[in-house]
Amino acid sequence: MKLAAAAGGTLLVSPNFAFAGEVDNLSIAWTTDTASWDPNQRLSPDPQTILKMVFDQPIDMTSDLKLTPGLLTEWTLADDAMSMHVTLRDDVTFSDGSKLTTEDFRYTFFERVNQGEELDIAVGFGTVSDIEILSPTEAVMQFSKPSPIVAQWLSFSASYVVSKAYAEKVGPEKMKTSPMGTGPYVLTEYQRDSRIVLTRRDDYWGDLPSAKQITIEIIPDPTARLAALESGTVDIATELSIRDVKRLEQGGTLNAVTNPIARIIYVTIRADGVFADRNVRLAAHHAVDKDLLSKAFFGGDAVTINQPTIPGMPSFLPDFHFDYDVAKAQELLAASGFGPDNPVTLDFATTNGQFPGDYDIARAVVTMWEKVGIKANLTVITESQWYELNASGKLPPASLFVWENGTGDPELFAGNMFDADLPFATYRTDEVTAMIKPLLKEPDYDTRIKGYEEFNQYLIEEGAMIPLLQAIQTIGYRNGIEIKPWANGLIRPEAITIS
């Protein structure tokens, strides 16, 4: 099965975009620092824009999430999904001048994982049993079991190629602090949780972005990011409130854009405790007015969702609905002995400032639940605490969470969200495991997508999660700049034009 290929003469090295003038420095107000400069270490979505400025991926994505050549010019997955032949570009160098070869590709996606380093990249490439090197530019990936979405993984978070020679020279700890990649920029100044300065490589193998230097100011507070933009301290500010974006759009002195992205906001559910009762799970979903959430916190721009994916992606069911129905919620709770005068009580965790409106959305859900007979005690946690609590089995019965899938593939939505072998699953049952495990190794595309359609519907009808909204990325920027948004939420330097 041939997934994608491009002839050398027509290779797209910078998907979808051409830029105009140049600028000496472009400053961006960003939400959080990268947890590590080792690009294979963490799958967290927020640092990926930063990491992709320094590192390149084997396969790239167009703005609408189509696979396109990156460091690879060609990739061919075997019909049984047990191997994939890949061809690398022959003109790529790391920032130290050394040439990229299949030795680096093998090291990144096989040797690093195989030698037991603590890397999130193992989630996508743990099935790689070997990478056979045929030449400096050709190799064959071998898998221990069918791996139908390896091409998507090669374009996803943390899938950046690192230099074998550099990694072995400096060791794992220095990889976390001193990055060296094939990307368009190099790190020239770094103050943790404060400032990142990246300088453009004029010897970059692809088209040069318009900014000779990019300064990223780490500003966690959205109000402070807006103030930095309005004062002229930064040229671009991300993740502003919808209210502020609407004001910027109407003001004329600054610009703003709202970008629906491949990220969903949802409520996680545990299968034990109070939510062992299916009636309670379903009542909690029926009680949420998602249209109101969209209007109240996103100006009506956020698309409401009833399944663990977004419109237009594979496995999305356009005719599937789950109604907001207060009477039905009360009926289900009453069948289990609960109601407004005798509420079921549970803890509910949320982040505050991780994405626009998170805490306010959680408070609104608490209010909606209270009307039908669910009393939720809201607590604030960080994203890292969410993972720690889930790993220790101490995550509250419900939590507001955001899930990003820059590929749109259902395995990286429902598949990873509910695979009990991964650190993301909260609803764990034998039935879910029995449904999901065959899909993770199904080589036939149509069969796999059909299976995920059925799995998505099952999850909602069982109350295994409460999908709320397709997330919106908000970007404010000064006049004289134009930005082409990417559906995976990345801000691409080559997608910024300067007039």
Side-chain angles (χ1 to χ4, degrees):
M1 177 172 64
K2 196 151 190 172
L3 290 184
T10 59
L11 181 64
L12 296 174
V13 294
S14 294
N16 292 8
F17 208 82
F19 57 81
E22 287 192 338
V23 63
D24 288 335
N25 182 70
L26 187 72
S27 55
I28 304 174
W30 200 253
T31 55
T32 56
D33 202 347
T34 176
S36 171
W37 281 102
D38 184 335
N40 304 145
Q41 191 173 16
R42 292 289 176 261
L43 286 168
S44 303
D46 290 335
Q48 300 308 315
T49 281
I50 300 171
L51 292 173
K52 198 166 175 62
M53 295 181 189
V54 178
F55 298 90
D56 286 314
Q57 296 178 289
I59 299 174
D60 211 337
M61 301 285 285
T62 60
S63 62
D64 58 353
L65 305 188
K66 301 292 191 301
L67 297 180
T68 192
L71 295 175
L72 294 181
T73 62
E74 193 171 271
W75 56 96
T76 307
L77 185 68
D79 289 340
D80 60 1
M82 290 294 290
S83 66
M84 188 166 79
H85 181 277
V86 301
T87 303
L88 277 174
R89 295 181 62 100
D90 64 359
D91 59 350
V92 178
T93 60
F94 290 95
S95 59
D96 67 350
S98 60
K99 194 160 187 175
L100 169 75
T101 72
T102 45
E103 292 281 355
D104 304 299
F105 184 84
R106 184 179 193 274
Y107 177 78
T108 302
F109 299 108
F110 175 61
E111 293 178 30
R112 293 199 79 188
V113 175
N114 198 48
Q115 63 195 22
E117 291 189 51
E118 186 183 341
L119 303 169
D120 283 359
I121 199 174
V123 175
F125 300 96
T127 63
V128 179
S129 58
D130 194 10
I131 297 180
E132 178 187 1
I133 293 176
L134 305 180
S135 75
T137 59
E138 288 190 70
V140 178
M141 303 180 76
Q142 306 285 352
F143 310 116
S144 59
K145 61 181 181 181
S147 299
I149 68 159
V150 65
Q152 285 84 348
W153 269 107
L154 287 171
S155 70
F156 191 47
S157 299
S159 297
Y160 303 93
V161 178
V162 300
S163 164
K164 177 178 181 178
Y166 179 75
E168 292 183 338
K169 176 183 176 182
V170 304
E173 288 306 309
K174 194 167 183 180
M175 288 282 285
K176 298 176 184 177
T177 59
S178 302
M180 200 274 286
T182 63
Y185 291 88
V186 294
L187 179 66
T188 51
E189 181 185 334
Y190 183 46
Q191 301 172 35
R192 171 154 289 284
D193 296 324
S194 178
R195 173 175 290 187
I196 299 167
V197 179
L198 303 167
T199 302
R200 192 179 70 187
R201 290 178 55 194
D202 288 337
D203 64 342
Y204 180 56
W205 60 270
D207 290 342
L208 293 181
S210 56
K212 296 179 182 179
Q213 178 177 282
I214 292 180
T215 301
I216 298 172
E217 305 287 354
I218 306 300
I219 306 176
D221 181 68
T223 303
R225 290 195 296 275
L226 175 66
L229 177 65
E230 292 185 317
S231 68
T233 304
V234 300
D235 302 303
I236 299 170
T238 65
E239 302 298 353
L240 304 176
S241 73
I242 291 293
R243 179 184 63 256
D244 289 331
V245 165
K246 296 294 185 184
R247 180 169 61 81
L248 292 179
E249 288 176 334
Q250 297 170 2
T253 58
L254 294 166
N255 300 308
V257 64
T258 54
N259 176 35
I261 57 177
R263 181 185 293 182
I264 65 174
I265 302 168
Y266 69 109
V267 176
T268 72
I269 298 293
R270 288 182 55 151
D272 55 2
V274 296
F275 281 136
D277 187 333
R278 181 172 179 267
N279 287 340
V280 176
R281 299 196 303 268
L282 293 176
H285 193 172
H286 280 298
V288 178
D289 185 345
K290 301 172 190 179
D291 286 330
L292 181 59
L293 294 179
S294 178
K295 292 174 184 176
F297 304 115
F298 297 97
D301 290 344
V303 175
T304 61
I305 55 173
N306 295 310
Q307 49 196 296
T309 185
I310 59 173
M313 295 296 105
S315 83
F316 179 80
L317 298 163
D319 297 325
F320 178 76
H321 302 285
F322 191 96
D323 294 333
Y324 164 59
D325 191 333
V326 170
K328 183 65 175 178
Q330 291 175 326
E331 177 186 332
L332 288 164
L333 287 172
S336 293
F338 300 109
D341 297 327
N342 181 35
V344 57
T345 302
L346 56 89
D347 290 331
F348 181 27
T350 182
T351 53
N352 186 3
Q354 183 68 27
F355 59 91
D358 49 0
Y359 182 68
D360 291 331
I361 291 170
R363 288 200 305 172
V365 171
V366 168
T367 300
M368 294 172 185
W369 281 351
E370 187 173 8
K371 291 178 180 179
V372 300
I374 300 172
K375 179 175 175 55
N377 302 311
L378 190 63
T379 59
V380 174
I381 61 174
T382 65
E383 182 185 27
S384 61
Q385 286 174 325
W386 188 96
Y387 283 102
E388 292 167 4
L389 291 168
N390 196 35
S392 63
K394 297 178 181 178
L395 189 69
S399 64
L400 188 71
F401 203 58
V402 64
W403 185 274
E404 181 164 317
N405 174 7
T407 72
D409 191 272
E411 180 172 322
L412 296 175
F413 271 129
N416 283 187
M417 293 163 71
F418 288 89
D419 183 353
D421 292 334
L422 299 180
F424 319 112
T426 61
Y427 187 89
R428 301 166 184 259
T429 67
D430 291 341
E431 291 79 10
V432 165
T433 297
M435 292 184 73
I436 199 171
K437 288 304 181 184
L439 295 176
L440 299 176
K441 58 184 180 182
E442 175 54 59
D444 181 76
Y445 180 82
D446 292 337
T447 302
R448 188 171 69 87
I449 298 305
K450 178 64 175 176
Y452 274 111
E453 290 175 349
E454 295 171 356
F455 184 52
N456 287 349
Q457 184 167 340
Y458 170 84
L459 292 172
I460 303 309
E461 291 177 345
E462 283 300 306
M465 66 178 300
I466 303 176
L468 299 176
L469 304 165
Q470 178 182 0
I472 290 178
Q473 177 189 40
T474 56
I475 309 171
Y477 51 98
R478 67 168 175 82
N479 287 334
I481 290 177
E482 291 297 330
I483 298 176
K484 181 181 180 66
W486 246 249
N488 56 16
L490 296 186
I491 293 181
R492 304 282 294 261
E494 69 270 29
I496 300 172
T497 59
I498 310 295
S499 61

